[in-house]
């Protein structure tokens, strides 16, 4: 391939591509050190299309960058340089030349600003760290970015499980058959389940990093081919490709657990349009005392009374409710509020008790949040 790179692109496009690459690589940083300033990015135009490519042991990211390509070619540069090229003017132009000593010179121009810099044309750091194609799984399922993105953003939560690596995030399980899907995420204590329809008629049964899906679909709302085995996970769309080391998640079928439960010991309908607001109002007492906000939910006299207390005082809120039994339950208020926030405002909340856990859901019961009791 001749190296006569000459391109024109929007001045904001390279920073966007580098930011996406960094967000993906950061998820693997506990293993590989993340994107550092000593790393390199390959900027390559091939057959009239421009790509940014990053490869390091354990992760490979390729992103298409919108550009006008006058001549194919490539260069290797540090991510900081590529993301901080002048961008005050709308367009950035880049062209490669050789100097008298045969060094590769990148000339750039952005409005009234221009400059040149010696860059590398040695691809070995990228090629040597790319995944062996023979280990990449070939069987794939198609995920619709538009529909999956909305659901993933809604079900992910801030886990207090110390066994969850914050860089990797929570596992997400997607099961689908004939367009009907169940998507769940969980840690050792809590879970969120969403029943939905997705634009896919094939059978899907996968588990992967929820944070990975969230970061990919926040940028690319397109159909994505997903494939995974014990070693490698790959997501590929029209404008990107991500390959990374597969995370080892313990697979828990929360739906099967729910289906195996006997009838709930109590069922209640909480008639409020904003239970999160009520909880936030009462836990101020614990916040001021700097302690965990343990709340009491007491169903009595056709009402739900939410109470929180500390050595500083006591507060409560009241909502209308219907129920089978007059009972009182205790929860961590932060957990309960966080999971209740997954439900659509404006609907009553269904509250069901199974042993030491409760399942809160919307009226349609297509979103279920499992929250453990305390004490």
């Amino acid at each position: 391939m001749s190296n006569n790179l000459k391109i024109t692109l929007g001045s904001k496009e390279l920073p966007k591509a580098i930011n996406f690459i960094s967000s993906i690589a950061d998820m693997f940083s506990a293993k590989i050190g993340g994107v550092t300033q000593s790393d390199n990015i390959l900027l390559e135009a091939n057959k009239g299309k421009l790509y940014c490519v990053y490869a390091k042991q354990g992760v490979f990211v390729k992103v298409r960058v919108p550009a006008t390509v006058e001549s194919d070619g490539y260069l290797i540069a540090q991510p900081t340089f590529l993301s901080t090229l002048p961008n005050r003017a709308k367009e950035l132009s880049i062209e490669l030349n050789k100097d008298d000593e045969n060094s590769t010179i990148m000339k750039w121009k952005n409005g009234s600003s221009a400059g040149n810099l010696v860059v590398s044309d040695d691809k070995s750091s990228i090629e040597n760290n790319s995944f062996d194609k023979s280990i990449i799984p070939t069987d794939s399922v198609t995920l619709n970015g538009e529909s999956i993105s909305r659901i993933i953003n809604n079900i992910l939560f801030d886990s207090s499980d110390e066994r969850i690596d914050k860089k990797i995030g929570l596992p997400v399980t997607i099961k689908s058959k004939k367009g009907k899907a169940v998507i769940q995420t969980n840690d050792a204590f809590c879970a969120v389940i969403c029943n939905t329809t997705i634009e896919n008629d094939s059978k899907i049964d996968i588990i992967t990093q929820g944070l990975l899906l969230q970061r990919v679909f926040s940028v690319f709302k397109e159909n994505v081919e997903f494939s995974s085995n014990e070693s490698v996970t790959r997501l590929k769309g029209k404008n990107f490709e991500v390959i990374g080391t597969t995370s080892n998640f313990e697979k828990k079928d929360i739906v099967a657990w729910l289906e195996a439960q006997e009838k709930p010991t109590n069922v209640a309908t909480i008639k409020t349009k904003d239970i999160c607001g009520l909880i936030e109002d009462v836990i101020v007492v614990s916040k001021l005392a700097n302690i965990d906000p343990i709340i009491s939910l007491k169903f009595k006299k056709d009402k739900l009374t939410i109470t929180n207390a500390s050595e500083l005082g006591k507060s409560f809120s009241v909502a209308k409710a219907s129920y089978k039994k007059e009972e009182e339950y205790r929860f961590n208020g932060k957990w309960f509020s966080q999971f209740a926030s997954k439900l659509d405002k404006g609907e009553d909340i269904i509250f069901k008790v199974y042993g030491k856990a409760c399942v809160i859901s919307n009226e349609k019961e297509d979103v279920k949040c499992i929250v453990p009791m305390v004490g």
Side-chain angles (χ1 to χ4, degrees):
M1 175 181 178
S2 61
N3 196 8
N4 301 308
L5 181 67
K6 189 174 182 180
I7 56 175
T8 303
L9 64 158
S11 59
K12 306 291 186 183
E13 296 298 340
L14 281 178
K16 283 168 57 178
I18 302 299
N19 286 341
F20 175 74
I21 289 171
S22 297
S23 73
I24 300 299
D26 181 63
M27 298 184 62
F28 301 87
S29 63
K31 303 172 186 176
I32 64 169
V35 177
T36 67
Q37 299 315 312
S38 61
D39 290 337
N40 289 317
I41 298 286
L42 168 65
L43 184 66
E44 182 172 40
N46 187 15
K47 297 181 179 179
K49 296 178 181 179
L50 182 67
Y51 298 92
C52 273
V53 183
Y54 173 83
K56 195 172 182 180
Q57 187 177 6
V59 62
F60 172 91
V61 188
K62 182 177 182 179
V63 184
R64 184 176 176 184
V65 182
T68 299
V69 177
E70 295 184 48
S71 180
D72 287 349
Y74 62 92
L75 62 87
I76 304 290
Q78 293 178 342
T80 300
F81 171 72
L82 291 176
S83 62
T84 57
L85 283 167
N87 58 21
R88 287 185 296 114
K90 185 177 179 180
E91 288 189 340
L92 171 70
S93 62
I94 293 175
E95 183 177 357
L96 289 190
N97 291 301
K98 291 285 187 178
D99 65 9
D100 295 338
E101 297 178 356
N102 205 35
S103 297
T104 302
I105 307 298
M106 186 190 87
K107 295 173 61 179
W108 56 264
K109 190 175 188 306
N110 178 247
S112 60
S113 300
N116 59 73
L117 184 79
V118 176
V119 294
S120 172
D121 57 3
D122 181 4
K123 292 184 183 181
S124 60
S125 62
I126 302 296
E127 294 171 340
N128 293 341
N129 284 300
S130 296
F131 282 87
D132 183 344
K133 291 184 179 180
S134 66
I135 68 170
I136 298 174
T138 54
D139 293 336
S140 66
V141 296
T142 301
L143 303 179
N144 178 267
E146 194 69 47
S147 57
I148 297 293
S149 173
R150 173 180 50 81
I151 296 166
I152 296 297
N153 288 335
N154 190 40
I155 68 172
L156 291 180
F157 59 90
D158 295 327
S159 174
S160 58
D161 188 345
E162 294 181 354
R163 289 165 292 185
I164 298 295
D165 187 332
K166 298 297 183 183
K167 285 186 174 293
I168 294 174
L170 292 164
V172 166
T173 301
I174 302 175
K175 289 188 175 183
S176 175
K177 189 175 182 180
K178 295 182 179 179
K180 295 183 177 181
V182 178
I183 302 175
Q184 75 170 47
T185 186
N186 64 274
D187 62 12
F189 310 109
C190 309
V192 182
I193 302 168
C194 178
N195 293 280
T196 187
T197 57
I198 60 176
E199 296 179 14
N200 194 310
D201 292 330
S202 61
K203 184 177 180 181
I204 299 174
D205 187 357
I206 61 175
I207 181 170
T208 190
Q209 298 154 265
L211 193 57
L212 176 62
L213 295 180
Q214 186 180 51
R215 290 182 178 179
V216 165
F217 289 133
S218 68
V219 178
F220 299 102
K221 303 294 195 298
E222 58 188 69
N223 285 343
V224 172
E225 293 179 13
F226 177 96
S227 56
S228 184
N229 57 27
E230 293 180 354
S231 302
V232 175
T233 295
R234 180 196 195 203
L235 290 89
K236 184 178 181 181
K238 179 181 178 181
N239 296 299
F240 79 96
E241 182 176 18
V242 171
I243 306 173
T245 305
T246 298
S247 296
N248 185 23
F249 290 117
E250 180 184 356
K251 200 167 187 177
K252 294 183 178 180
D253 194 335
I254 307 299
V255 175
W257 175 83
L258 265 179
E259 291 174 346
Q261 300 302 303
E262 297 181 0
K263 290 183 179 180
T265 56
N266 201 3
V267 179
T269 301
I270 304 171
K271 299 180 181 300
T272 176
K273 307 308 179 188
D274 186 13
I275 190 163
C276 299
L278 296 181
I279 293 172
E280 290 299 318
D281 287 345
V282 301
I283 64 175
V284 64
V285 175
S286 289
K287 285 183 176 180
L288 290 171
N290 198 29
I291 60 175
D292 279 342
I294 303 304
I295 59 172
S296 165
L297 272 65
K298 187 174 184 178
F299 294 94
K300 190 174 182 179
K301 295 182 179 180
D302 297 324
K303 294 179 181 178
L304 165 66
T305 302
I306 306 169
T307 307
N308 176 233
S310 73
E311 71 273 13
L312 297 180
K314 184 178 180 179
S315 58
F316 67 91
S317 290
V318 178
K320 291 182 180 180
S322 60
Y323 45 82
K324 284 187 176 181
K325 294 166 57 178
E326 291 188 348
E327 291 282 359
E328 184 173 355
Y329 309 99
R330 284 162 53 84
F331 299 91
N332 184 308
K334 289 194 298 185
W335 282 3
F336 197 97
S337 179
Q338 180 181 184
F339 282 84
S341 70
K342 306 298 180 185
L343 309 178
D344 293 333
K345 286 186 177 182
E347 293 187 16
D348 293 342
I349 291 176
I350 310 300
F351 179 99
K352 296 182 180 181
V353 178
Y354 298 90
K356 292 295 183 180
C358 83
V359 177
I360 55 176
S361 63
N362 55 6
E363 293 176 15
K364 295 178 290 186
E365 296 194 65
D366 57 358
V367 178
K368 299 183 178 73
C369 308
I370 301 172
V371 187
M373 300 179 199
V374 298

